[in-house]
Amino acid sequence: KNQVEQSPQSLIILEGKNCTLQCNYTVSPFSNLRWYKQDTGRGPVSLTIMTFSENTKSNGRYTATLDADTKQSSLHITASQLSDSASYICVVSPEATGYSTLTFGKGTMLLVSP
Amino acid sequence: NAGVTQTPKFRILKIGQSMTLQCTQDMNHNYMYWYRQDPGMGLKLIYYSVGAGITDKGEVPNGYNVSRSTTEDFPLRLELAAPSQTSVYFCASSYGTGSNQPQHFGDGTRLSIL
């Protein structure tokens, strides 16, 4: 069964500090891995998408890494801001022709404290 | 830029009532999706559509119906509402399903069945 596990479940950091969120998956064969940010009361917003052949991708202060051999990904947030407080969701797409169902993680809830 | 618009934002239904959740997108995307997000769980796909007139079931379709008469609109119908359908419903759209095609989400409809 395809699964996506995220850790930690929640995290509190001080404004200006860095943090790293983890994602382990069992989806196979694998096509791409996505990170989304979901603010409270809003829909998810795409941060990065990485294919099997990419091992890092950045979007401003967000940097995602991917190790397809160990089936692990991380999202690193640099110099955190209060607006980074949100749930971060890891999503994995299996390899298939046509449409294939994405597998969503439960998310890591990040709180950036002043 | 409107993107994906969902209405209503909140709704309370009585058991056995019916309602339609509306979703419209202005990005001319071929693919549209309906997800539900339960507390502490990853998003689950209810139905999806690859174009006008074409719909297919996702992981959790029971108790729901959809139609896609235009590219822009993808309404979700709940018949005979049950307490288990209390959830937050998200509509999403994408141009395609490739690795460079993120899904764009609406801000959700929060539905309570009492």
Side-chain angles (χ1 to χ4, degrees):
Chain A
K1 179 181 178 182
N2 292 336
Q3 286 188 313
V4 175
E5 300 290 340
Q6 293 188 242
S7 62
Q9 188 173 3
S10 62
L11 181 63
I12 302 174
I13 62 172
L14 291 175
E15 185 179 12
K17 297 296 185 181
N18 304 335
C19 69
T20 300
L21 314 180
Q22 300 290 343
C23 173
N24 296 336
Y25 62 93
T26 60
V27 178
S28 183
F30 162 83
S31 175
N32 61 76
L33 186 144
R34 311 167 183 217
W35 283 95
Y36 282 84
K37 178 187 179 189
Q38 184 176 20
D39 292 322
T40 300
R42 305 295 300 272
V45 174
S46 178
L47 292 176
T48 64
I49 302 178
M50 288 183 293
T51 63
F52 180 89
S53 60
E54 296 175 296
N55 53 27
T56 187
K57 183 165 278 191
S58 293
N59 178 358
R61 294 179 296 101
Y62 301 101
T63 300
T65 64
L66 173 64
D67 186 336
D69 292 332
T70 62
K71 295 185 170 54
Q72 295 180 324
S73 176
S74 65
L75 181 69
H76 186 74
I77 304 174
T78 303
S80 61
Q81 300 176 359
L82 297 179
S83 59
D84 292 330
S85 295
S87 179
Y88 291 84
I89 303 172
C90 177
V91 186
V92 181
S93 177
E95 182 181 275
T97 55
Y99 178 73
S100 53
T101 301
L102 303 179
T103 300
F104 287 76
K106 296 178 180 179
T108 291
M109 182 65 68
L110 174 66
L111 176 63
V112 180
S113 176
Chain B
N1 296 331
V4 177
T5 302
Q6 293 184 237
T7 57
K9 295 188 184 303
F10 304 93
R11 184 73 183 269
I12 298 174
L13 281 182
K14 294 183 178 180
I15 294 172
Q17 288 185 319
S18 300
M19 77 164 293
T20 299
L21 282 66
Q22 302 292 345
C23 175
T24 187
Q25 52 93 7
D26 62 358
M27 296 172 281
N28 200 33
H29 284 168
N30 296 319
Y31 290 76
M32 296 188 75
Y33 317 85
W34 274 106
Y35 292 94
R36 60 178 288 172
Q37 185 176 39
D38 298 321
M41 302 297 291
L43 275 75
K44 297 293 185 184
L45 182 67
I46 304 171
Y47 271 96
Y48 68 96
S49 170
V50 302
I54 306 170
T55 63
D56 208 346
K57 296 177 180 179
E59 300 173 80
V60 290
N62 292 345
Y64 307 96
N65 281 300
V66 294
S67 59
R68 184 96 181 269
S69 57
T70 67
T71 299
E72 296 78 19
D73 300 308
F74 190 40
L76 177 71
R77 177 84 177 162
L78 275 73
E79 305 281 4
L80 298 175
S84 61
Q85 294 177 305
T86 294
S87 189
V88 182
Y89 292 84
F90 288 100
C91 179
S93 72
S94 65
Y95 183 73
T97 61
S99 59
N100 62 343
Q101 301 293 339
Q103 293 186 7
H104 300 262
F105 287 81
D107 283 337
T109 293
R110 284 144 189 83
L111 180 63
S112 292
I113 315 292
L114 304 177

